[in-house]
Amino acid sequence: MKRILATLSLSLFLGACASGSGTDVFGGNSSSGGLGVNSMVKMAVDNQCRTELANRNEWRVIALAMTAEKQREWEDKICGCASEEAMQQITANDMMQMVNTSTRNQAVAGITARTVTACVKRLYR
């Protein structure tokens, strides 16, 4: 029964991502700013990114040399890119983990790690 529910949930999530109609799984219109799956993933990745940046010693050292405004600007660049890139980096396995509350944090951390790495490389080119 759990497999059927998980498969159905995954189908709904992937169907909403693939459809070009702008309607998300929860019935909202994603183009009108509704909280759809994409928005929730982006918000989770952005939040996780900022938390991880704040916990990194390298970021702390670099941030000491910046003003608070400049630090926010770089956080916005890095984490904004990561949250936008998240939908290109997400896998079916990640989506399954996001459905399960016990593995959601692990999935967000994995997506964030992949996207932040890609964005930092892109920003430093």
Side-chain angles (χ1 to χ4, degrees), residues 49-80:
C49 174
R50 291 174 193 276
T51 300
E52 287 185 20
L53 272 178
N55 291 335
R56 304 273 318 209
N57 289 333
E58 306 94 308
W59 179 250
R60 289 182 192 162
V61 170
I62 293 169
L64 289 174
M66 292 186 233
T67 64
E69 181 180 314
K70 199 63 161 171
Q71 183 179 347
R72 273 191 303 278
E73 182 182 321
W74 273 100
E75 284 177 357
D76 291 345
K77 282 182 185 179
I78 294 169
C79 295

Side-chain angles (χ1 to χ4, degrees), residues 66-122:
M66 292 186 233
T67 64
E69 181 180 314
K70 199 63 161 171
Q71 183 179 347
R72 273 191 303 278
E73 182 182 321
W74 273 100
E75 284 177 357
D76 291 345
K77 282 182 185 179
I78 294 169
C79 295
C81 173
S83 63
E84 289 298 319
E85 183 76 19
M87 295 314 296
Q88 281 72 37
Q89 297 287 331
I90 199 165
T91 65
N93 187 41
D94 293 330
M95 288 298 279
M96 290 299 295
Q97 288 181 333
M98 299 254 330
V99 171
N100 186 344
T101 56
S102 65
T103 59
R104 185 173 297 143
N105 290 340
Q106 179 184 352
V108 170
I111 296 165
T112 303
R114 290 192 304 269
T115 57
V116 168
T117 301
C119 288
V120 169
K121 287 179 183 177
R122 186 181 318 153

Side-chain angles (χ1 to χ4, degrees), residues 1-16 25 92-93 95-100:
M1 185 68 173
K2 286 182 181 180
R3 285 186 181 189
I4 293 171
L5 180 61
T7 303
L8 178 61
S9 297
L10 179 62
S11 303
L12 288 172
F13 284 128
L14 293 177
V25 173
N93 187 41
M95 288 298 279
M96 290 299 295
Q97 288 181 333
M98 299 254 330
V99 171
N100 186 344

